[in-house]
Amino acid sequence: MSIKTMNETFEARLYHMGYVLPDVRALVRNQFYLTGLSFLVAVATGWMLPFVWDFCAGAVLMTLNFSSLAKFVQHLIHRQKGAVVQLLVSFYGRLLLTGLALYALIAWGNANVVSLLAGLSTVVVTILIWGAAQVIGKNAKEA
């Protein structure tokens, strides 16, 4: 299976899950890929580097948070009444759940805080990759 076919299949599934905007699908797809890659690294090196699992936990937490937010914002764009209240409730609900998950991972799971934060930062890498691809694509079309 080629990468292009894999991307198209994954994006088709995301579209059926409600991610209707192509850029949003690309962002969510890349975030899932980055999380999957971190799991592959964790499986390969987890017995030597146990903090890699903490990185994976942060990446999974951020992937769930990011994909939920991406889907919600698409829905919110088309809605005018009650959008602010919905946005605030959704934001603070996600923030509360993320805080509880982080507390559980750190307090009860003895997770490495730096590794968790690095895993949470994967969304920044995803957005930077997407932005770079947009700039490169734009420059290639202009040339």
Side-chain angles (χ1 to χ4, degrees):
M1 177 185 274
S2 71
I3 292 176
K4 184 178 178 180
T5 306
M6 187 171 69
N7 285 346
E8 289 171 354
T9 303
F10 197 75
E11 285 198 27
R13 288 186 179 150
L14 288 173
Y15 183 82
H16 290 295
M17 291 171 60
Y19 300 95
V20 294
L21 300 175
D23 287 336
V24 171
R25 279 196 309 273
L27 280 164
V28 172
R29 178 199 70 211
N30 291 344
Q31 181 63 30
F32 272 100
Y33 285 171
L34 192 55
T35 301
L37 179 63
S38 71
F39 263 103
L40 290 176
V41 170
V43 167
T45 63
W47 57 277
M48 293 185 307
L49 308 168
F51 64 87
V52 176
W53 290 107
D54 299 333
F55 178 89
C56 286
V60 167
L61 191 58
M62 187 48 66
T63 300
L64 294 173
N65 217 336
F66 182 67
S67 60
S68 171
L69 180 64
K71 191 172 184 179
F72 180 73
V73 168
Q74 288 181 122
H75 168 72
L76 196 62
I77 289 172
H78 300 292
R79 190 170 174 171
Q80 293 178 352
K81 286 191 173 186
V84 174
V85 173
Q86 256 190 327
L87 179 64
L88 288 174
V89 169
S90 173
F91 174 77
Y92 284 112
R94 247 190 323 279
L95 185 64
L96 177 67
L97 290 174
T98 302
L100 290 173
L102 287 172
Y103 177 78
L105 286 167
I106 294 168
W108 296 319
N110 295 323
N112 182 325
V113 176
V114 174
S115 297
L116 274 174
L117 290 175
L120 292 171
S121 299
T122 58
V123 75
V124 175
V125 173
T126 298
I127 292 170
L128 287 174
I129 291 169
W130 175 82
Q134 298 299 309
V135 170
I136 290 169
K138 184 178 180 182
N139 289 342
K141 288 178 185 175
E142 290 177 0

